[in-house]
Amino acid sequence: MNTPGMNPLAAQLADIIEPAPIGWFPPAWGWWVLLVLLLAVIGVATWWVRVWLQQRRLLLVADTLLDQALEQYQTTQDSQRYCQSLNQIMKRYWKACAPTATHVLSLSGNDWVETVMRAAPSSGLAKNTQQALAEGAYQPLHELKVNDLDQDVRRWLRKAKPAHIRRASQEPEHV
């Protein structure tokens, strides 16, 4: 069955069978690696956002309590009550960040201030603020700079991250 113009040797060749197209599954190993990395990034980002939102909620509550304490001080001018309120707010924040560190919540005076400074040394609490936190709850302070004290405590709350507080809670106390 030679057709005119066709090479007789070509008739002996079998038809070429093309391979099947490459399917989409299973993907190559590079896609699997990319998928694992993407899931890891999503997991870390989700965890980070959750931690950030939790800290923001704690700070909002602390800010509200600080505003209330400042308003109460402005109406009563009771420095002892104001310093007690500041210490309580800071200890509530501490407890929310490190629930198992109950030994820190019983600290007072200079021991409390040293622990606070250990949690956020970069907060730069002024000497007057340190004195007010250590002594103000137990005796009236006549030269209380309320605005400076308020700003120092707010700055400490922002600098004292939950991880720093947990770390400061685990450090041995100075004897």
Side-chain angles (χ1 to χ4, degrees):
M1 292 186 105
N2 275 343
T3 56
M6 184 173 206
N7 188 347
L9 294 176
Q12 295 174 2
L13 295 176
D15 288 337
I16 298 174
I17 301 174
E18 293 185 24
I22 297 174
W24 62 272
F25 194 84
W29 66 270
W31 289 108
W32 286 109
V33 170
L34 184 64
L35 177 67
V36 168
L37 288 174
L38 181 64
L39 290 175
V41 167
I42 290 172
V44 168
T46 302
W47 171 81
W48 186 83
V49 167
R50 213 173 113 239
V51 167
W52 183 79
L53 286 174
Q54 179 185 12
Q55 185 180 1
R56 290 296 306 152
R57 279 192 298 270
L58 288 174
L59 288 174
L60 286 175
V61 169
D63 279 342
T64 303
L65 293 173
L66 286 170
D67 290 341
Q68 291 172 355
L70 187 59
E71 286 176 22
Q72 183 180 18
Y73 173 78
Q74 290 170 343
T75 58
T76 64
Q77 297 295 310
D78 185 357
S79 66
Q80 283 180 275
R81 179 72 185 134
Y82 182 64
C83 291
Q84 287 172 352
S85 296
L86 293 181
N87 280 321
Q88 287 174 351
I89 292 166
M90 292 170 78
K91 286 183 179 185
R92 287 176 72 178
Y93 181 78
W94 196 290
K95 184 177 181 181
C97 293
T100 59
T102 55
H103 66 282
V104 174
L105 303 179
S106 63
L107 294 176
S108 61
N110 288 328
D111 293 336
W112 166 242
V113 173
E114 287 175 15
T115 306
V116 164
M117 292 300 293
R118 216 173 39 235
S122 65
S123 66
L125 290 181
K127 292 294 181 192
N128 290 339
T129 301
Q130 293 178 28
Q131 180 187 6
L133 293 174
E135 302 169 4
Y138 309 108
Q139 63 186 5
L141 297 175
H142 301 293
E143 294 185 24
L144 186 65
K145 297 179 180 178
V146 178
N147 291 332
D148 293 343
L149 183 57
D150 181 64
Q151 292 305 314
D152 278 355
V153 171
R154 289 177 194 271
R155 186 173 45 254
W156 179 85
L157 287 169
R158 278 155 184 69
K159 297 271 184 173
K161 306 290 185 211
H164 299 152
I165 288 178
R166 286 190 291 274
R167 193 175 316 117
S169 299
Q170 295 172 354
E171 289 182 15
E173 295 180 24
H174 300 297
V175 179

